[in-house]
Amino acid sequence: MMKRYLLLTAAALLVLLTGCEEEIPDDTPAMDITGEWSLTDISTKAAVIGSQTVSVYVSFKEEGKFELYQQTGQGWYSYYAGTWTLTDGTLSGSYDGGKPWGSSYTVTLSDNTMTLTTASGGETDTYVRTPIPDQVKNKTWLR
């Protein structure tokens, strides 16, 4: 009788222990790139980069939309808009009209700095979280 009681108790304990898996909380913070950013550095493996200064501001909206303002040299800012997605640390998107970006990017965030590295590894762009100047957002400098 005692042997049977021990077997039943052991079986019940085994069922309880295997049926109650401990859920390990995911402490990995979600990568949040929403907000406004300014390009601070471009590193490329290209042989010739050129001599023109590039100024880029980008705003990633929560609803998956982006607005990008780009100035090359001393010219006017060009405006681009479209959609973006961030999945497993990879940023990709397309412009209004459906044309996909030239590359997807691996995203690294550290404090207020975002680093985007092309899928090929040929270019790394560094952005800092900063408000886009009103004169740029109001499109007074756009062509």
Side-chain angles (χ1 to χ4, degrees):
M1 180 78 163
M2 181 62 110
K3 196 177 199 181
R4 186 174 173 189
Y5 176 73
L6 285 174
L7 282 175
L8 284 174
T9 304
L13 223 99
L14 185 61
V15 167
L16 283 174
L17 291 176
T18 58
C20 298
E21 285 186 36
E22 180 182 346
E23 283 195 32
I24 300 171
D26 183 7
D27 292 336
T28 306
M31 195 174 294
D32 182 14
I33 65 168
T34 58
E36 297 179 349
W37 300 86
S38 173
L39 179 69
T40 59
D41 185 54
I42 299 174
S43 173
T44 181
K45 293 181 181 175
V48 177
I49 298 172
S51 61
Q52 293 187 342
T53 301
V54 176
S55 176
V56 176
Y57 294 97
V58 63
S59 174
F60 293 105
K61 311 285 186 184
E62 287 183 13
E63 63 273 6
K65 305 267 187 196
F66 75 88
E67 294 182 310
L68 184 137
Y69 307 86
Q70 179 179 338
Q71 179 188 42
T72 304
Q74 299 301 315
W76 299 92
Y77 278 93
S78 297
Y79 174 79
Y80 304 93
T83 58
W84 64 273
T85 58
L86 181 62
T87 306
D88 296 328
T90 300
L91 177 65
S92 57
S94 60
Y95 299 99
D96 284 349
K99 182 178 180 186
W101 293 351
S103 177
S104 58
Y105 299 87
T106 300
V107 178
T108 306
L109 285 178
S110 174
D111 295 322
N112 289 322
T113 302
M114 174 174 62
T115 305
L116 303 178
T117 304
T118 57
S120 67
E123 184 176 311
T124 299
D125 303 331
T126 304
Y127 289 80
V128 293
R129 194 179 294 272
T130 186
I132 299 172
D134 287 338
Q135 67 184 18
V136 174
K137 279 173 66 169
N138 294 334
K139 303 177 185 174
T140 56
W141 297 100
L142 299 178
R143 60 175 157 157

